[in-house]
Amino acid sequence: MTAVAVVERPLIRAAVVLPILFGLQVSVAAEIRPFGVAGDLFLACAITAGLLGGPVRGARYGFGLGLLTDLVTRLPFGMGALTGALVAYFVGLVPVGAQSTRRAYVTVVAVATAAASLFASVLAILFGRDDLAGSGLVRITLVMALLHAVVALPLRALGRFVLLPDVIDRH
Amino acid sequence: MALPTPGPSRRTIIVLALLSVTLITVDLRGSELIDGSRAATTELTSPLAGFFRFLARPAVNAWNGMRSYEELELENAQLRDKVEAQEGAAIAAEAKSQLYDELKAVAGLDLLGNYPYVTAQVVGEPASNLQLAVEIDKGARDGLAPGMPVVTAGGLVGRLSQVTPTHSFIRMLYDPQIGVPVKIIGTRRPAPGATTTTTSPPTATTTAAPSGPTSSTTGAETGDPSAETTVPATTTTTVPPKSVLDTGLLKGQGYDRPLAVDLVGAGESVAVGDAVTSYASSGSLFPEDIPIGRVKTVRPRPGSTYLDVLVEPIADLRRLSFVRVIKYSPTAGG
């Protein structure tokens, strides 16, 4: 396999990016907590995958990223995967992507983050873990949306690198 | 721009959603495969996580410094006051050794005297906002096992929920899934509305000299009643004896919320400020007398014979750096 062939494969590029993403999540996103709230880079990346790759590709990437979240957290296993897959799928249906204006893109990321945060809480309640859902939900949702809006554009650039050339045939 | 084809698109998300729900169900029922995968992931990723935390440490420290400098300064001042107050109380208590021993037991100063323990460092904040478990850098290779109690110098913070060879996870006291048998220690008072026919309970008395220059020479001490004496203006403090008012089950209510104690009878004279410690009842995972906190609020529960008791933990559960894992086994007793 030539170097060019390797670089052209999105999954291999994702495998290169994932350890860095994981490192940033545990060292920066989990430690620097405005108002006590941590950003979730895996969720933000799932949303990015949906926006750049479309619903199907987004759902697959979202599911994978969610599974990784499930492996490193102690929440019910599969909750992150379900949240990631669904949020990436639905943002994939929104006509905003690599070519959209920055404002539209950032807004969609923020709204999708808020929806995902609320959805995760509903999931927790549905699966009998209502103890996870009630504590500071509004604060968590708002601050997470803001944090993800801040990192939305750098992640879009990263998403372009990972998903290219799949980004081109998004819709 | 063509719309996405509905068929394969919907099929994909339905399959992924069903797969996720299956995984959640399997995990909630308990799966060694999932637990093993998580433990293996923790082992594999901990060097990478440690490396990134090392790289990010200056930025994180700068952030923490910016965010909480004033708060820490205020907290320092409050802690200094508390330490001074405790030192003063200890000196006063020395006058009566029996009382001192009792206070010491209540305060849990001999907390770790009888059990071996392992000191561990909290390696990072939970990676998710919904996660209530905290990771430490010691595991089975250090002799740790699930269920062992975890304390700080202040008191109980939780117990180990999962142990990998090199890391462990603490189920914190604020996790609603934890239950700690506790006893409430305070002064027995007549219950509100109750009629008392007995005399007041025996009390212990300690005498403390006031601050400032005073003479401690008295005629009684020198044996000379005519000696010139300056009688100090003494302050007499009556300390009623403390006793176990009731036992109950302490449960968390989520991050940043006070702890609740269930099963405390409405007839008990529990009051704000009463001490709460662990209670080694049958089947309890915790040794006796680990300090937990003080009663914050007490309210009668409407339509029930129990009280609603909320407890403020002594240990700062939100800001942990080093913890001690007590190697306690309920069956072996230590």
Side-chain angles (χ1 to χ4, degrees), chain B residues 166-188:
Chain B
T166 59
H167 286 72
S168 304
F169 291 86
I170 306 171
R171 175 160 283 163
M172 301 294 287
L173 278 184
Y174 50 67
D175 189 330
Q177 290 202 318
I178 202 170
V180 184
V182 294
K183 55 187 181 186
I184 302 175
I185 299 163
T187 308
R188 201 164 283 285

Side-chain angles (χ1 to χ4, degrees), chain A residues 65-92:
Chain A
L65 288 162
L67 271 188
L68 289 175
T69 308
D70 290 328
L71 279 172
V72 297
T73 62
R74 263 51 194 170
L75 300 172
F77 193 87
M79 220 170 100
L82 184 56
T83 307
L86 285 178
V87 75
Y89 175 81
F90 284 112
V91 295

Side-chain angles (χ1 to χ4, degrees), chain B residues 70-89:
Chain B
E70 285 183 10
E71 188 186 325
L72 286 175
E73 214 172 37
L74 179 67
E75 196 177 330
N76 260 343
Q78 287 171 341
L79 285 173
R80 272 197 299 274
D81 281 352
K82 269 191 182 174
V83 168
E84 284 171 14
Q86 281 177 350
E87 281 174 355

Side-chain angles (χ1 to χ4, degrees), chain B residues 206-227:
Chain B
T206 182
T207 304
S211 58
T214 57
S215 167
S216 61
T217 311
T218 65
E221 285 170 334
T222 58
D224 181 6
S226 63

